């Protein structure tokens, strides 16, 4: 998954069956394609040998591939088999049934597993118990379901008790199984079971699940079975093979559940890849005090620090650790209680890290002091941790610089630029409570208690902090829009922590003093009541929570860039710079910035931009005190009046250009001539009408009313039905050549001035919106004439180029003719996308979500470049342009220039540079390196 290329998440979740069906079609198509070949569907692992290995994530899913790899490496992994993702496709192709031929293959593998395990599914004396685990190519934490202890029934549970002489354990396993099977397969709400469980605990006067004895657990099981009977009108299925088939199909179904679909949409994971199902012999962390279950990371996933990191629970099973049932212990405590298992775990996980050359996120179980590995995968981490880890790995010689460049998601660098609190201000506010620092970053906002409210308020522009007892997978849309996430329960590996880190959202979890009443929308913290809408702030790096609105402060790196902090004082900045230096070794494309102010240009230069790809001159018109002059220019009735106003603008623009040139230290600066329709600089028509009406109603006469009337008349004259397609871009320069003259003069005068002072600059004068070479020719004549005159006046020679934006499809298709006049092209992919799709960029919001829901569009084409449809237009522009002028300079200056996925396309067509906003420059440098490394020479 490249970019955290999270476009805006789409919140509407398809709930209807028909929708799910239509989405399943893609899966079906894939299945039909695959079945054409004879395929192996089931992959065994056990006894030190596996059919699969780590590279087979497409077929085995991430979990299956990891289990195979660990088995082959001789690690202690309970045996089992993986039902491939192809079977998931078949399941959907056969309208929700697993074909019989596959059933037969599964039966063969069940027998093989029974042999390896030395136990038999359904045996009353020596029953084999298995887990049925989902697992797709990309990990989707908590999105799909797992069932443990499958194979138990009323008879087998007694057999298990007899074999282990541990009745408590046997019935603890059974009650877990009935509940998981009941909720996942039979779709009975979890709360119904929890209600029964709590009743039993209450009756027995105990608070922890581990305090329930065998008798109590027998009671829980019979209550659960009654629940099943009353909800499904049949008894809990007793036949283990039937249980297995039902569980397997439920995992396939869970692939299409709404929250899994939503998750995939946010992270750009395609629906058609499907999930695998892993059937694996159970090992038990719930046999008593010598058993445990846990999860961990080989390095700290929040800070990147090289420390063993994780949590475990004694006498527990499966999700207990992450579900916050009891508070887990830090993994370092395991050393004290089970030193041998701990040492082995450390050894194994370090080996895994070396083998995968990446941080591992692992799951394990200890059964009677024997360690078993249940999962390993590359760990998700914050952007901060990603940079720390990659630079550490290089220092440790675990990976090369090139591998480090490929390992770090470019978005991580953007996370590192996120703001923090001012330390002094932060310190002055008392700490209300402390939680676990799960994901770094400063968050401040108004409290909301539900994901829905978070979405509603943030849509209205209110920054919110989502406060929950714990988050669940169906909260992700609310988490996505929040400034940060604060939970009362859960550890560093809880849902809120994992997802927060992945989204780059500051999160503090397990703030156990926090008492939340989600229904009443209040919570209390350190004795203070907090209502919905109150301000809360927290620091995700320390876990401190405070009851105040706190302004945030630029990141350390930004402080170094602006000179507030000495570079030597910031370790993270040093690492950030290392990553970028390494990136620069591998990238081919240049990276420029879009900037129109000298300070922006300075920042961009500090971030490594070597040149300005787009300086929007009209932004300068909005500068202080300038708008009145601009308006005078627009309102002028005669050329003479217009020239007078332009003469006033000239020195102002010249100063701006001079500043930008200087800030770029000799690097090229592309200046775009005025582009937007003129009425953008005037007051709104409706506002003026109201103002005039009000004055008239007051019976006013005189200058003010007259002025407003004139303005209104002019605004009405300028009114356009489709301003985006109207009197803008080069069309302005053609109808008002004096604007082009003034802007050229300002540019060349600034260049002459700098040259005279010994500075260096090559302005690139860019004419926007050209669709026909004659438009460009018209403007170029003006530019060349004025430039020549200015240089003569000043007695200085300054170099400059004249080129155009390619942003109208006709411009791209006639690029050979245009290139005869243009020394450079810059692809304006915003307008080009708009005009190729015929989607107004300002109106797409009205239907984009529906388009994405219906899978008509995968992503917002204004965020990620549409390679399929707009790609060929750019390609045509590139090829035709190069044919006519082989040394033509080609760049891109649309929003896409800072988007990692889009950058791969620009690399593949061989552009010379990308240009993006100053803050995206680091992302673009890394993404350009990754693109260059991925695109083979000659591709
Ligand atoms: P997820 O994809 O949500 O992480 P898993 O399939 O990894 O789900 O299962 C969740 C947990 O269930 C595991 O971390 C592990 O603790 C437990 N589990 C799964 N399979 C087994 C097994 N064969 N023996 C013991 N515990 C298991
Ligand atoms: Mg897992
Ligand atoms: Mg444009």
């Amino acid at each position: 998954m490249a970019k955290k290329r999270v476009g805006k998440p789409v919140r509407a979740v398809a709930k209807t069956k028909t929708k799910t069906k239509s989405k399943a079609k893609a899966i079906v198509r894939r299945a039909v394609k695959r079945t054409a070949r004879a395929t192996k569907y089931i992959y065994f692992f056990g006894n030190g040998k596996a059919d699969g290995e780590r590279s087979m994530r497409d077929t085995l899913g991430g979990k299956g591939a990891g289990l195979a790899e660990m088995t082959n490496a001789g690690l202690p992994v309970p045996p089992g088999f993986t039902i491939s993702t192809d079977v998931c496709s078949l399941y959907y192709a056969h309208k929700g049934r697993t074909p019989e031929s596959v059933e037969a293959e599964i039966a063969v593998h069940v027998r093989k597993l029974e042999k390896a395990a030395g136990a038999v599914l359904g045996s009353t004396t020596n029953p084999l118990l298995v887990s049925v685990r989902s697992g797709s190519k990309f990990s989707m934490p908590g999105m799909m379901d797992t069932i443990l202890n499958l194979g138990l029934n009323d008879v087998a549970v007694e057999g298990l008790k007899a074999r282990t002489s541990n009745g408590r354990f046997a019935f603890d396993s059974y009650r877990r199984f009935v509940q998981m099977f009941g909720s996942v397969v039979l779709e009975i709400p979890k709360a119904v079971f929890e209600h029964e469980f709590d009743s039993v605990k209450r009756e027995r006067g105990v608070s922890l699940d581990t305090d329930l004895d065998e008798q109590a657990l027998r009671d829980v099981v019979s209550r659960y079975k009654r629940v099943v009977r009353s909800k499904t009108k049949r008894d809990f299925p007793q036949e283990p093979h039937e249980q297995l088939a039902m569980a397997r199909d439920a995992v396939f179904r869970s692939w299409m559940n709404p929250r899994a679909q939503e998750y995939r949409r946010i992270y750009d994971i395609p629906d058609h890849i499907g999930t695998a199902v892993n059937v694996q012999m159970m090992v038990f962390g719930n046999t008593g005090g010598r058993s445990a279950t846990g999860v961990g990371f080989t390095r700290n996933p929040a800070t990147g620090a090289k420390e063993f990191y994780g949590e475990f629970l004694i006498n527990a099973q499966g999700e207990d650790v992450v579900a916050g049932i009891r508070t887990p212990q830090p993994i370092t405590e395991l050393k004290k209680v089970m030193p041998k298992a701990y040492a082995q775990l450390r050894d194994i996980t370090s080996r895994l890290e070396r083998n995968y050359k990446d941080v591992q996120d692992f799951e394990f179980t200890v059964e009677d002091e024997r360690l078993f590995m249940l999962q390993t995968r590359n760990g998700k981490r914050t952007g901060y941790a990603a940079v720390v880890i990659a630079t550490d790995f290089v220092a440790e010689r675990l990976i090369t610089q090139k591998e480090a460049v490929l390992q770090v998601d470019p978005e991580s660098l953007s996370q590192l630029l996120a703001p923090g609190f001012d330390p002094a201000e932060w310190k002055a506010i008392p700490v209300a409570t402390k939680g676990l620092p799960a994901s770094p970053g400063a968050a401040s906002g108004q409290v909301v208690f539900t994901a829905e409210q978070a979405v509603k308020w943030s849509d209205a522009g209110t920054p919110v902090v989502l406060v929950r007892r714990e988050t669940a997978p169906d909260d992700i849309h609310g988490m996505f829009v929040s400034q940060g996430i604060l939970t009362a329960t859960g550890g560093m590996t809880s849902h809120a922590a994992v997802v927060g880190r992945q989204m780059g959202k500051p999160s503090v979890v397990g703030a156990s003093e926090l008492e939340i009443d989600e229904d009443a929308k209040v919570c209390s913290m350190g004795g203070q009541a907090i209502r919905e809408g109150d301000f809360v702030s927290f620091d995700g790096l320390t876990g401190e929570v405070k009851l105040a609105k706190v302004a945030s402060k630029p990141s350390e790196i930004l402080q170094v860039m602006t000179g507030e902090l000495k570079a030597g004082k910031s370790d993270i900045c040093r690492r950030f710079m290392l990553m970028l230096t390494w990136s620069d070794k591998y990238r081919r494309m240049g990276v420029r910035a879009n900037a129109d102010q000298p300070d922006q240009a300075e920042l961009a230069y500090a971030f490594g931009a070597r040149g300005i790809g787009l300086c929007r001159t009209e932004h300068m018109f909005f500068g202080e005190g300038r708008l009145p002059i601009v308006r005078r220019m627009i309102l002028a009735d005669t050329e003479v009046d217009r020239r007078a106003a332009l003469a006033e603008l000239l020195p102002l623009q010249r100063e701006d250009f001079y500043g930008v040139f200087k800030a770029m230290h000799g690097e090229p600066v592309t200046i775009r001539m005025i582009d937007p329709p003129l009425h953008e600089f005037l007051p709104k028509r409706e506002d003026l009408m109201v103002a005039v009406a009000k004055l008239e109603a007051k019976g006013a006469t005189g200058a003010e009313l007259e002025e407003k009337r004139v303005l209104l008349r002019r605004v009405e004259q300028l009114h356009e039905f489709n301003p985006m397609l109207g009197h803008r871009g080069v069309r302005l320069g053609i109808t008002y050549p004096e604007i082009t003259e003034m802007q050229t003069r300002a540019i060349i005068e600034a260049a002459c001035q700098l040259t005279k002072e010994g500075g260096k600059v090559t302005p690139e004068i860019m004419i926007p919106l050209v669709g026909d070479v004659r438009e460009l020719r018209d403007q170029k004549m003006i530019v060349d004439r004025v430039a020549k005159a200015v240089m003569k006046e000043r007695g200085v020679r300054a170099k400059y180029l004249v080129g155009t934006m390619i942003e109208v499809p006709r411009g791209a298709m006639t690029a050979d003719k245009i290139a005869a006049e243009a020394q450079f092209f810059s692809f304006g992919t915003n307008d080009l996308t708009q005009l190729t799709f015929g989607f107004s960029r300002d109106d797409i919001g009205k239907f984009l979500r529906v388009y994405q829901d219906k899978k008509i569009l995968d992503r917002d084409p204004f965020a990620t470049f549409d390679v399929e449809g707009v790609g060929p237009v750019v390609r045509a522009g590139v090829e035709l342009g190069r044919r006519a002028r082989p040394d033509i300079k080609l760049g891109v200056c649309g929003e896409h220039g800072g988007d990692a996925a889009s950058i791969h396309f620009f690399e593949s067509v061989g552009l010379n540079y990308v240009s993006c906003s100053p803050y995206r420059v680091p992302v673009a440098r890394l993404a350009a390196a990754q693109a260059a490394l991925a695109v083979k020479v000659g591709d």
Side-chain angles (χ1 to χ4, degrees):
M1 291 170 42
K3 135 184 176 187
K4 166 183 162 242
R5 31 180 163 109
V6 173
K8 256 200 147 180
V10 178
R11 290 166 204 127
V13 167
K15 289 222 168 76
T16 60
K17 275 211 172 107
T18 43
K19 255 189 186 166
T20 305
K21 260 189 202 155
S22 79
K23 283 173 195 174
K25 269 192 195 143
I27 304 182
V28 173
R29 274 199 297 278
R30 173 174 172 259
V32 172
K33 232 164 61 193
R34 288 260 177 129
T35 37
R37 314 176 234 130
T39 321
K40 177 177 167 63
Y41 290 117
I42 319 289
Y43 293 77
F44 193 80
F45 55 90
N47 296 331
K49 215 180 135 305
D51 297 343
E53 37 90 19
R54 78 196 229 193
S55 68
M56 294 170 67
R57 288 169 59 219
D58 283 320
T59 308
L60 303 179
K63 199 179 288 167
L67 288 169
E69 181 79 5
M70 287 197 292
T71 302
N72 283 330
L75 302 186
V77 176
F81 57 85
T82 303
I83 305 172
S84 78
T85 56
D86 294 327
V87 180
C88 183
S89 308
L90 286 174
Y91 172 84
Y92 282 98
H94 289 77
K95 307 199 159 42
R97 268 196 38 247
T98 301
E100 254 145 54
S101 58
V102 180
E103 294 268 16
E105 206 180 326
I106 292 174
V108 169
H109 282 82
V110 168
R111 280 194 291 280
K112 196 167 171 185
L113 177 58
E114 287 174 339
K115 233 189 201 154
V120 176
L121 196 63
S123 158
T124 51
T125 50
N126 183 23
L128 167 68
L129 304 193
V130 296
S131 60
V132 177
R133 317 171 65 188
S134 61
S136 70
K137 177 172 182 184
F138 302 108
S139 98
M140 298 167 48
M143 288 299 142
M144 292 183 298
D145 299 306
T146 289
I147 295 160
L148 304 180
N149 310 327
L150 186 139
L152 280 176
N153 56 32
D154 294 349
V155 191
V157 70
E158 302 293 350
L160 183 64
K161 174 182 170 179
R163 198 187 76 197
T164 59
S165 316
N166 190 345
R168 188 201 173 275
F169 152 69
F171 280 88
D172 184 53
S173 303
Y174 196 20
R175 63 99 186 167
R176 289 170 184 274
F177 172 49
V178 178
Q179 143 143 34
M180 280 186 251
F181 193 92
S183 64
V184 175
V185 182
L186 307 174
E187 296 179 12
I188 301 167
K190 278 196 181 107
V192 182
F193 292 108
E194 272 157 21
H195 175 76
E196 296 295 335
F197 196 61
D198 289 342
S199 307
V200 174
K201 280 204 294 194
R202 207 166 335 116
E203 281 168 24
R204 311 265 158 168
V206 304
S207 62
L208 294 178
D209 62 329
T210 38
D211 293 336
L212 293 174
D213 61 12
E214 176 186 342
Q215 217 36 55
L217 291 165
R218 278 181 186 269
D219 183 19
V220 172
V221 169
S222 43
R223 282 168 182 250
Y224 281 3
K225 288 199 309 197
R226 272 203 299 278
V227 166
V228 169
R229 198 173 315 123
S230 88
K231 293 275 173 191
T232 65
K233 308 284 173 251
R234 59 166 282 199
D235 283 330
F236 184 79
Q238 294 283 312
E239 213 297 296
H241 292 90
E242 186 194 357
Q243 293 172 351
L244 180 58
M246 289 173 78
R248 171 202 64 209
D249 290 353
V251 171
F252 288 147
R253 276 200 302 280
S254 75
W255 176 253
M256 275 295 165
N257 75 32
R259 60 169 205 254
Q261 291 197 42
E262 165 112 359
Y263 185 93
R264 289 200 291 275
R265 190 154 22 201
I266 289 182
Y267 289 101
D268 262 350
I269 300 171
D271 279 339
H272 70 79
I273 61 175
T275 181
V277 179
N278 300 285
V279 177
Q280 186 177 27
M281 182 187 94
M282 283 301 300
V283 290
F284 300 99
N286 59 333
T287 64
R290 292 170 58 230
S291 298
T293 181
V295 298
F297 287 82
T298 51
R299 310 213 172 195
N300 186 318
T303 64
K306 190 178 180 183
E307 61 196 18
F308 201 50
Y309 183 93
E311 289 154 337
F312 74 102
L313 269 177
I314 297 272
N315 196 11
Q317 199 180 43
E319 305 282 65
D320 290 4
V321 179
V322 286
I325 302 219
R326 279 179 272 145
T327 303
Q329 291 175 272
I331 203 159
T332 40
E333 293 291 307
L334 188 65
K335 193 175 182 174
K336 294 182 193 146
V337 279
M338 298 174 194
K340 257 173 84 184
Y342 177 81
Q344 195 190 356
L345 182 65
R346 284 228 54 170
D347 174 56
I348 287 176
T349 54
S350 331
R351 270 167 60 196
L352 285 172
E353 187 181 90
R354 276 198 305 275
N355 180 30
Y356 281 96
K357 296 182 171 201
D358 205 346
V359 175
Q360 293 302 295
D361 166 359
F362 54 87
E363 299 176 4
F364 66 96
T365 284
V366 180
E367 178 179 332
D368 299 327
E369 304 210 7
R370 244 183 97 190
L371 174 74
F372 292 94
M373 297 304 296
L374 292 172
Q375 192 169 334
T376 194
R377 61 183 163 211
N378 293 345
K380 298 199 192 303
R381 67 207 76 171
T382 61
Y384 193 97
V387 170
V388 170
I389 289 166
T391 45
D392 274 353
F393 276 175
V394 172
E396 292 165 26
R397 296 181 187 281
L398 191 65
I399 60 174
T400 62
Q401 293 177 2
K402 192 198 265 183
E403 284 167 329
V405 164
L406 288 167
Q407 188 180 78
V408 174
D409 180 343
E411 273 322 303
S412 302
L413 300 184
S414 140
Q415 266 184 45
L416 252 60
L417 303 177
F421 296 127
D422 173 70
E425 188 187 349
W426 183 242
K427 226 171 151 186
I429 304 165
V431 177
T433 191
K434 241 186 128 166
L436 301 172
S439 176
S444 186
Q446 288 173 259
V447 170
V448 290
F449 293 106
T450 63
E452 286 63 43
Q453 198 73 339
V455 169
K456 215 152 115 201
W457 285 22
S458 70
D459 273 354
T462 306
V464 298
V465 168
L466 181 61
V467 179
R468 305 275 290 156
R469 204 168 297 137
E470 61 197 25
T471 60
D474 45 15
D475 286 329
I476 40 175
H477 56 307
M479 299 168 77
F480 189 79
V481 298
S482 300
Q483 304 299 307
I485 301 139
L486 174 61
T487 70
T489 62
M492 294 292 273
T493 48
S494 65
H495 181 264
V498 171
V499 176
R501 282 195 291 271
Q502 189 182 352
M503 284 183 176
K505 289 274 174 218
S507 322
V508 168
V509 301
S512 50
E513 284 175 9
L514 202 62
E515 277 168 33
I516 307 175
D517 185 340
E518 281 165 11
D519 296 328
K521 299 191 169 182
V522 288
C523 69
S524 69
M525 197 189 287
Q528 252 174 299
I530 304 156
R531 261 166 275 281
E532 185 179 68
D534 288 353
F535 277 97
V536 67
S537 301
F538 66 76
D539 180 347
L541 204 57
T542 62
E544 288 175 341
V545 183
K546 305 186 176 184
L547 301 179
K549 180 180 177 178
V550 186
S552 47
K553 186 171 186 263
S555 75
E556 235 175 77
I557 291 167
L558 210 57
Q559 290 180 49
V560 174
M561 296 301 148
T562 53
E564 283 165 62
L565 187 71
K566 278 225 182 73
K569 287 237 157 99
S570 171
D571 175 61
I572 190 65
C573 188
R574 178 185 64 81
R575 295 170 182 274
F576 179 85
M577 290 307 188
L578 265 181
M579 284 304 308
L580 290 175
T581 316
W582 296 338
S583 303
D584 292 350
K585 287 192 197 170
Y586 299 106
R587 75 180 154 93
R588 181 193 58 80
M589 284 191 293
V591 175
R592 298 193 187 183
N594 299 347
D596 359 279
Q597 307 290 334
D599 54 340
Q600 287 173 6
E602 287 287 4
L603 180 67
Y605 190 85
F607 276 139
R610 290 300 172 260
I612 301 281
L614 177 62
C615 174
R616 299 173 167 96
T617 51
E618 61 272 9
H619 283 189
M620 299 172 172
F621 289 171
F622 288 106
E624 229 193 300
R626 296 181 181 185
L627 209 49
I629 313 175
V630 176
R631 284 186 181 161
R632 232 176 298 138
M633 166 189 92
I634 296 169
L635 294 172
D637 286 328
T638 64
E639 195 189 315
V640 177
D641 289 350
R642 192 157 39 244
R643 281 191 186 278
L646 283 167
E648 278 186 75
L649 282 174
L650 174 69
L652 303 174
Q653 284 231 300
R654 185 177 54 220
E655 285 318 300
D656 289 335
F657 293 143
Y658 176 80
V660 172
F661 292 163
K662 209 164 170 171
M664 264 304 126
H665 308 274
E667 302 292 344
V669 175
T670 307
I671 296 165
R672 179 177 71 184
M673 296 305 206
I674 189 167
D675 182 55
L678 294 179
H679 61 70
E680 279 191 14
F681 300 102
L682 298 179
K684 277 215 173 66
R685 179 163 161 245
E686 291 68 27
D687 295 348
L688 277 172
M689 280 159 74
V690 171
V692 168
K694 269 193 185 151
L695 285 170
E696 283 173 351
K698 268 202 289 187
T701 51
E704 195 190 353
L705 178 62
E706 193 43 39
E707 190 188 310
K708 288 258 156 43
R709 278 186 178 148
V710 171
L711 201 54
L712 178 59
R713 216 176 308 132
R714 187 71 177 133
V715 168
E716 275 171 346
Q717 274 173 7
L718 288 173
H719 174 77
E720 292 176 306
F721 291 103
N722 286 310
M724 273 295 178
L725 300 175
H727 194 185
R728 56 174 287 223
V730 67
R731 300 154 204 173
L732 288 172
I734 288 173
T735 45
Y736 302 118
E738 51 281 9
I739 300 181
T740 307
E741 284 174 19
M742 181 281 282
Q743 293 201 300
T744 305
R745 179 167 277 278
I747 293 166
I748 302 297
E749 283 183 357
C752 287
Q753 186 183 334
L754 194 65
T755 310
K756 226 179 214 168
E757 292 165 7
K760 221 189 102 193
V761 66
T762 309
E764 301 180 345
I765 299 176
M766 179 156 78
I767 312 297
L769 223 67
V770 167
D772 189 298
V773 65
R774 284 167 291 191
E775 290 173 314
L776 179 60
R777 206 174 284 143
D778 176 283
Q779 292 294 289
K780 193 172 181 231
M781 263 167 35
I782 300 173
V783 171
D784 286 340
R785 168 168 54 76
V786 173
K788 199 169 162 197
V790 171
M791 287 191 244
K792 198 163 167 210
E793 283 164 27
R794 303 280 158 132
V796 180
R797 288 194 61 81
K799 236 181 89 185
Y800 68 95
L801 304 180
V802 180
T804 180
M805 273 178 95
I806 296 290
E807 52 184 340
V808 175
R810 194 183 191 284
M813 304 327 275
T814 61
D816 47 347
K817 301 215 171 68
I818 294 178
E821 298 289 338
Q823 291 164 293
F824 65 88
F825 287 167
S826 177
F827 289 90
T829 52
N830 296 346
D831 267 304
L832 200 57
T833 298
Q834 174 163 264
L835 294 168
T836 304
F837 270 102
F839 289 156
S840 153
R841 150 173 46 142
D842 303 311
D843 298 310
I844 191 172
K846 294 212 172 68
F847 52 86
L848 178 63
R849 195 176 296 172
V850 180
Y851 264 54
Q852 288 181 319
D853 270 350
K854 296 199 167 177
K855 300 276 164 196
I856 292 168
L857 277 183
D858 290 331
R859 5 188 124 88
D860 177 352
F862 291 100
T864 296
F865 184 78
D866 170 51
V867 172
E868 188 185 16
V870 188
V873 185
V874 169
R875 238 178 241 285
V878 169
E879 279 163 18
L880 292 172
R882 284 229 166 97
R883 201 176 300 159
R885 188 191 285 263
D887 67 342
I888 191 165
K889 256 205 229 184
L890 302 172
V892 58
C893 64
E895 286 313 300
H896 302 108
D899 172 67
S902 311
I903 287 173
H904 279 258
F905 171 76
F906 301 134
E907 171 72 29
S908 74
V909 293
L911 296 193
N912 299 92
Y913 68 86
V914 296
S915 188
C916 56
S917 89
Y919 287 89
R920 301 294 299 180
V921 166
V923 174
R925 283 166 75 186
L926 178 51
Q930 292 183 349
L933 288 171
V935 176
K936 285 180 233 81
V937 185
D939 248 14

